[in-house]
Amino acid sequence: MTIQINKIVIHCSATRNGKSLARNGLTAAQVIDSWHKQRGFKRTEANRKDFNPNLGSIGYHYVIDIDGTVETGRKIGETGAHVKGHNTNSIGICLVGGITADGKNHGEYTAQQWWALYDLLLNLEQRFPHAKIYGHRDLSPDLNGDGKITRNEWLKDCPCFDVWQWLDSGEVINVDHLFKG
Ligand SMILES: [Zn+2]
Protein backbone atom coordinates (compact mmCIF):
# COMPACT_ATOMS: atom_id res chain seq x y z
CA MET A 1 0.00 0.00 0.00
CA THR A 2 1.37 3.37 -0.97
CA ILE A 3 1.21 5.96 1.75
CA GLN A 4 -0.10 9.28 0.52
CA ILE A 5 1.40 12.26 2.36
CA ASN A 6 0.65 15.80 1.14
CA LYS A 7 1.62 17.89 4.14
CA ILE A 8 4.31 17.89 6.76
CA VAL A 9 3.28 20.21 9.59
CA ILE A 10 5.64 21.58 12.21
CA HIS A 11 4.33 22.31 15.70
CA CYS A 12 5.68 23.28 19.09
CA SER A 13 4.62 22.03 22.50
CA ALA A 14 3.97 25.62 23.69
CA THR A 15 6.14 25.01 26.74
CA ARG A 16 9.24 26.82 28.02
CA ASN A 17 12.08 27.04 25.48
CA GLY A 18 15.05 24.84 26.32
CA LYS A 19 13.18 22.84 28.94
CA SER A 20 12.87 19.10 28.36
CA LEU A 21 9.42 17.58 28.69
CA ALA A 22 10.86 14.29 29.94
CA ARG A 23 10.06 13.83 33.62
CA ASN A 24 9.31 11.17 36.24
CA GLY A 25 10.71 8.46 34.00
CA LEU A 26 8.46 9.52 31.10
CA THR A 27 9.80 10.63 27.73
CA ALA A 28 8.59 13.80 26.00
CA ALA A 29 6.31 11.77 23.72
CA GLN A 30 4.83 9.96 26.72
CA VAL A 31 4.15 13.27 28.48
CA ILE A 32 2.45 14.69 25.37
CA ASP A 33 0.49 11.44 25.09
CA SER A 34 -0.89 12.03 28.59
CA TRP A 35 -1.90 15.62 27.65
CA HIS A 36 -3.64 14.41 24.52
CA LYS A 37 -5.40 11.69 26.49
CA GLN A 38 -6.81 14.40 28.77
CA ARG A 39 -8.05 16.25 25.68
CA GLY A 40 -9.87 13.11 24.57
CA PHE A 41 -7.63 12.13 21.63
CA LYS A 42 -7.69 8.41 20.96
CA ARG A 43 -5.84 6.19 18.51
CA THR A 44 -7.69 3.17 17.16
CA GLU A 45 -7.02 -0.26 18.62
CA ALA A 46 -5.74 -1.49 15.27
CA ASN A 47 -3.28 1.37 14.96
CA ARG A 48 -2.06 0.87 18.52
CA LYS A 49 -1.52 -2.81 17.92
CA ASP A 50 0.47 -1.99 14.83
CA PHE A 51 2.74 0.76 16.22
CA ASN A 52 3.68 2.28 19.60
CA PRO A 53 0.99 0.45 21.60
CA ASN A 54 1.99 2.31 24.77
CA LEU A 55 0.99 5.65 23.22
CA GLY A 56 -2.81 5.56 23.11
CA SER A 57 -3.56 9.18 22.37
CA ILE A 58 -0.66 11.26 21.02
CA GLY A 59 -1.74 13.29 17.99
CA TYR A 60 1.73 13.83 16.45
CA HIS A 61 3.88 11.50 14.41
CA TYR A 62 7.18 12.82 15.81
CA VAL A 63 8.38 14.68 18.89
CA ILE A 64 11.80 16.36 19.10
CA ASP A 65 12.98 17.05 22.65
CA ILE A 66 15.60 19.65 23.49
CA ASP A 67 18.53 17.20 23.37
CA GLY A 68 17.60 16.39 19.76
CA THR A 69 16.01 13.04 20.57
CA VAL A 70 13.44 12.19 17.92
CA GLU A 71 10.60 10.02 19.16
CA THR A 72 7.81 8.52 17.10
CA GLY A 73 4.15 8.86 18.01
CA ARG A 74 1.54 7.83 15.46
CA LYS A 75 2.67 5.75 12.53
CA ILE A 76 3.30 7.49 9.20
CA GLY A 77 0.07 7.15 7.23
CA GLU A 78 -2.07 7.00 10.35
CA THR A 79 -4.46 9.96 10.55
CA GLY A 80 -3.10 12.43 13.07
CA ALA A 81 -4.70 14.78 15.58
CA HIS A 82 -2.59 17.91 15.26
CA VAL A 83 -4.14 20.42 12.86
CA LYS A 84 -7.83 20.99 12.30
CA GLY A 85 -8.96 20.14 8.79
CA HIS A 86 -5.58 18.73 7.68
CA ASN A 87 -5.12 15.56 9.71
CA THR A 88 -5.42 13.10 6.87
CA ASN A 89 -2.45 12.56 4.55
CA SER A 90 -0.24 14.67 6.80
CA ILE A 91 2.62 14.21 9.23
CA GLY A 92 2.78 16.22 12.46
CA ILE A 93 6.13 17.01 14.05
CA CYS A 94 6.30 18.66 17.49
CA LEU A 95 9.31 20.60 18.70
CA VAL A 96 9.54 20.89 22.48
CA GLY A 97 9.48 24.59 23.42
CA GLY A 98 7.85 27.70 21.98
CA ILE A 99 7.52 30.07 24.93
CA THR A 100 10.19 32.42 26.33
CA ALA A 101 10.97 32.74 30.04
CA ASP A 102 8.87 35.95 30.09
CA GLY A 103 5.91 34.27 28.44
CA LYS A 104 6.23 35.37 24.82
CA ASN A 105 5.29 33.09 21.91
CA HIS A 106 8.78 33.09 20.43
CA GLY A 107 10.14 29.63 19.77
CA GLU A 108 13.78 29.07 20.62
CA TYR A 109 15.10 25.63 19.89
CA THR A 110 18.48 24.10 20.67
CA ALA A 111 21.09 23.43 17.99
CA GLN A 112 20.39 19.71 18.53
CA GLN A 113 16.72 20.31 17.81
CA TRP A 114 17.45 22.26 14.62
CA TRP A 115 19.75 19.49 13.38
CA ALA A 116 17.26 16.79 14.28
CA LEU A 117 14.42 18.64 12.53
CA TYR A 118 16.54 19.28 9.46
CA ASP A 119 17.60 15.62 9.19
CA LEU A 120 14.05 14.40 9.75
CA LEU A 121 12.68 16.72 7.05
CA LEU A 122 15.39 15.63 4.58
CA ASN A 123 14.45 12.03 5.21
CA LEU A 124 10.71 12.66 4.89
CA GLU A 125 11.17 14.75 1.73
CA GLN A 126 12.98 11.82 0.13
CA ARG A 127 10.17 9.47 1.07
CA PHE A 128 7.37 11.90 0.17
CA PRO A 129 8.73 14.26 -2.49
CA HIS A 130 5.27 15.75 -3.16
CA ALA A 131 4.61 16.76 0.43
CA LYS A 132 4.74 20.44 1.28
CA ILE A 133 6.13 21.63 4.61
CA TYR A 134 4.08 24.02 6.77
CA GLY A 135 4.12 25.61 10.18
CA HIS A 136 0.86 24.96 12.01
CA ARG A 137 -0.06 28.65 11.83
CA ASP A 138 0.34 28.64 8.02
CA LEU A 139 -2.73 26.37 7.87
CA SER A 140 -5.00 28.90 9.57
CA PRO A 141 -8.04 29.96 7.50
CA ASP A 142 -7.42 32.73 4.97
CA LEU A 143 -10.09 35.07 6.35
CA ASN A 144 -9.80 37.86 3.79
CA GLY A 145 -9.16 35.49 0.88
CA ASP A 146 -5.99 37.22 -0.33
CA GLY A 147 -4.17 33.90 -0.67
CA LYS A 148 -1.80 34.74 2.17
CA ILE A 149 -2.10 33.72 5.79
CA THR A 150 -1.08 36.80 7.74
CA ARG A 151 -0.38 37.32 11.43
CA ASN A 152 -3.90 38.58 12.18
CA GLU A 153 -5.33 35.36 10.71
CA TRP A 154 -3.22 32.93 12.74
CA LEU A 155 -5.39 30.77 14.98
CA LYS A 156 -2.34 30.30 17.14
CA ASP A 157 1.36 31.13 16.87
CA CYS A 158 2.51 27.50 16.68
CA PRO A 159 5.33 26.66 15.97
CA CYS A 160 6.40 30.17 17.00
CA PHE A 161 8.80 30.73 14.08
CA ASP A 162 8.45 31.26 10.32
CA VAL A 163 8.95 27.81 8.77
CA TRP A 164 9.09 29.00 5.16
CA GLN A 165 11.60 31.74 5.92
CA TRP A 166 13.78 29.14 7.63
CA LEU A 167 13.52 26.67 4.71
CA ASP A 168 14.29 29.46 2.22
CA SER A 169 17.39 30.42 4.20
CA GLY A 170 18.93 27.00 3.56
CA GLU A 171 20.48 27.15 7.01
CA VAL A 172 20.18 24.31 9.50
CA ILE A 173 20.23 26.51 12.56
CA ASN A 174 17.76 29.38 12.66
CA VAL A 175 19.84 31.96 14.55
CA ASP A 176 16.83 34.16 15.43
CA HIS A 177 15.23 31.16 17.10
CA LEU A 178 18.23 29.44 18.66
CA PHE A 179 18.02 28.62 22.36
CA LYS A 180 21.30 29.53 23.96
CA GLY A 181 20.42 28.79 27.58
ZN1 LIG B 1 0.54 23.28 16.46
Side-chain angles (χ1 to χ4, degrees):
M1 194 184 74
T2 319
I3 297 174
Q4 189 77 278
I5 297 294
N6 307 324
K7 298 186 183 82
I8 298 169
V9 187
I10 299 170
H11 298 265
C12 68
S13 60
T15 52
R16 183 73 67 81
N17 291 322
K19 194 166 181 290
S20 174
L21 278 188
R23 63 192 63 153
N24 304 326
L26 297 178
T27 67
Q30 288 169 334
V31 168
I32 290 174
D33 186 62
S34 71
W35 296 347
H36 286 182
K37 186 178 180 186
Q38 283 167 18
R39 288 170 62 182
F41 296 6
K42 206 168 186 295
R43 297 176 64 213
T44 66
E45 280 303 318
N47 282 328
R48 284 185 72 166
K49 238 183 203 157
D50 188 35
F51 194 71
N52 282 343
N54 62 323
L55 299 172
S57 301
I58 193 165
Y60 304 118
H61 298 83
Y62 292 98
V63 174
I64 303 178
D65 207 351
I66 61 154
D67 63 356
T69 301
V70 178
E71 291 180 88
T72 54
R74 296 198 183 197
K75 189 177 181 178
I76 300 283
E78 180 180 343
T79 299
H82 57 96
V83 51
K84 203 167 179 254
H86 305 276
N87 280 312
T88 51
N89 307 113
S90 71
I91 294 172
I93 302 171
C94 180
L95 290 163
V96 170
I99 312 294
T100 63
D102 55 353
K104 286 197 199 72
N105 293 351
H106 178 84
E108 288 170 356
Y109 306 107
T110 63
Q112 292 98 317
Q113 281 177 300
W114 287 114
W115 275 104
L117 178 63
Y118 187 86
D119 283 347
L120 178 59
L121 290 174
L122 273 187
N123 179 287
L124 292 174
E125 280 184 304
Q126 272 164 13
R127 286 175 68 187
F128 307 106
H130 302 296
K132 187 167 174 183
I133 301 170
Y134 298 84
H136 184 178
R137 68 190 190 188
D138 302 319
L139 291 167
S140 302
D142 182 12
L143 299 176
N144 64 6
D146 70 350
K148 286 190 285 258
I149 309 300
T150 46
R151 181 178 289 267
N152 59 306
E153 292 168 330
W154 294 345
L155 290 177
K156 22 173 123 176
D157 289 336
C158 179
C160 299
F161 74 100
D162 187 331
V163 168
W164 292 332
Q165 194 181 64
W166 172 59
L167 293 172
D168 283 347
S169 78
E171 302 286 339
V172 175
I173 291 177
N174 183 337
V175 289
D176 294 334
H177 292 271
L178 176 63
F179 182 78
K180 299 184 198 83

